[in-house]
Amino acid sequence: SSGAYVGAQVPTTVGLAAAPSRKPECQDNFAEEECLDGQECGNDTSEPRPEHLFMGFDTRPFLPLGLALSTVLGGLSMLIFQVPLISRLTGWTETSLWACLCPLYLVTLGCMAYAGLCDPGQVRPDAQSSQSQAFITGDSSSQTSEQQLPKRAHKSWQYRRPIRRYDHYCRWLTNVIGLLNHREFFVMLAGLVAIALAGVVVDVTLLCIIARDGFAVDEVLVVLHLGYSAALLALAGPILKIHAGLISRNELANEWRRNDFYIVVREQGEQVAVNDLSDEEFNEL
């Protein structure tokens, strides 16, 4: 069969590749200890993959520390070194430059701390039966023994109760992104990209001025900060683009990964949900 997506638009290769088959244990068993597939339940405590190892050590627990520390050090470099240098070379006052940069760093770091440390939005205790635990992964038929949980709720290994409006597990924050920290997560992403863009613009401008005047020591420091800014932009930019698209479609990352809202139009005009296709039909798209 051949067809095209209808509804929210994402690149075909990305949308299809992001929909692995669900594990039986995650469909039938809702207990936290029995749902260990990271894609289904947000579990990140499994054995580290080779790409997560550095000289034999698991790097995943250091990702939040690295993100926060690099942002702080990058901000200190910008405020202590780049700002005075810009002021000296361009004549702009340091106060005006600090007034632009300080709020950006403070808001980004504040949202980073909130998104990483707060409760992402667990289902309230009175919304669950004390004898039963269940979670919803886009299927409105999932219920506790007494009442139905909120739609879009999902069970994560980190929390005893399902997370309302579950989006994804963020390994850079080692926390779930859900109802109560999704906005802060997005603001953090936007802040990181803005910091990276500002760093690239400032550093390239300074390099042009410094190269003309011949300050070798200053050049080394600016090049190092430029490398950091470029790396941050390469990491955070694509993530921000994905989440901006999801938010514009009112779609969660967990739903996008499972292709919950995507259909294929057959040649006869029949609309079929992507998840209802056979493996052969799915692979032919």
Side-chain angles (χ1 to χ4, degrees):
S1 63
S2 61
Y5 283 113
V6 174
Q9 299 296 316
V10 296
T12 302
T13 55
V14 175
L16 294 178
S21 60
R22 293 176 181 165
K23 301 292 187 295
E25 62 269 21
C26 289
Q27 290 179 319
D28 302 329
N29 299 307
F30 298 148
E32 176 181 325
E33 63 273 9
E34 294 185 281
C35 195
L36 301 178
D37 182 78
Q39 295 294 328
E40 291 296 323
C41 299
N43 191 351
D44 201 46
T45 60
S46 58
E47 182 179 351
R49 299 174 182 174
E51 60 266 28
H52 296 150
L53 295 176
F54 178 74
M55 299 181 65
F57 292 96
D58 185 3
T59 60
R60 291 175 299 174
F62 298 100
L63 290 178
L65 178 62
L67 178 62
L69 188 59
S70 64
T71 305
V72 171
L73 293 178
L76 290 176
S77 172
M78 181 71 80
L79 297 175
I80 296 175
F81 176 72
Q82 267 88 344
V83 164
L85 190 58
I86 294 172
S87 179
R88 188 169 72 250
L89 295 175
T90 63
W92 298 343
T93 64
E94 293 185 18
T95 302
S96 61
L97 295 172
W98 284 335
C100 295
L101 293 174
C102 285
L104 176 60
Y105 280 95
L106 290 176
V107 169
T108 301
L109 289 169
C111 289
M112 185 185 300
Y114 185 90
L117 299 175
C118 81
D119 183 338
Q122 295 184 77
V123 171
R124 296 185 180 90
D126 56 3
Q128 278 190 299
S129 167
S130 59
Q131 293 85 20
S132 175
Q133 294 272 335
F135 66 92
I136 295 177
T137 58
D139 182 357
S140 61
S141 64
S142 299
Q143 298 181 354
T144 64
S145 60
E146 294 182 358
Q147 65 186 88
Q148 183 174 324
L149 290 173
K151 291 183 178 181
R152 309 176 102 179
H154 187 74
K155 187 69 175 70
S156 169
W157 64 275
Q158 279 190 303
Y159 296 93
R160 295 183 62 183
R161 300 190 300 276
I163 307 300
R164 291 172 290 168
R165 209 174 184 277
Y166 177 94
D167 191 74
H168 71 288
Y169 173 85
C170 179
R171 61 186 181 127
W172 287 95
L173 299 175
T174 60
N175 196 18
V176 168
I177 304 303
L179 175 66
L180 299 185
N181 63 353
H182 196 184
R183 294 179 182 87
E184 289 74 15
F185 171 78
F186 185 79
V187 172
M188 178 200 74
L189 280 179
L192 290 174
V193 171
I195 287 171
L197 287 172
V200 169
V201 171
V202 168
D203 291 336
V204 170
T205 303
L206 286 176
L207 280 176
C208 294
I209 298 175
I210 292 173
R212 182 189 62 195
D213 297 337
F215 299 135
V217 176
D218 291 343
E219 277 186 349
V220 173
L221 295 176
V222 173
V223 167
L224 290 175
H225 190 268
L226 176 60
Y228 158 76
S229 299
L232 179 61
L233 184 61
L235 287 172
I239 299 175
L240 176 63
K241 181 180 179 181
I242 290 173
H243 283 276
L246 292 173
I247 291 173
S248 70
R249 301 190 298 268
N250 191 26
E251 186 177 14
L252 298 174
N254 195 43
E255 298 165 341
W256 174 58
R257 179 181 57 78
R258 295 194 315 256
N259 283 332
D260 283 354
F261 304 124
Y262 298 97
I263 65 173
V264 170
V265 180
R266 299 184 189 272
E267 294 177 351
Q268 300 81 4
E270 179 187 5
Q271 296 182 354
V272 181
V274 168
N275 291 328
D276 292 338
L277 297 175
S278 66
D279 292 341
E280 182 179 350
E281 291 175 314
F282 188 92
N283 293 330
E284 287 179 355
L285 293 177

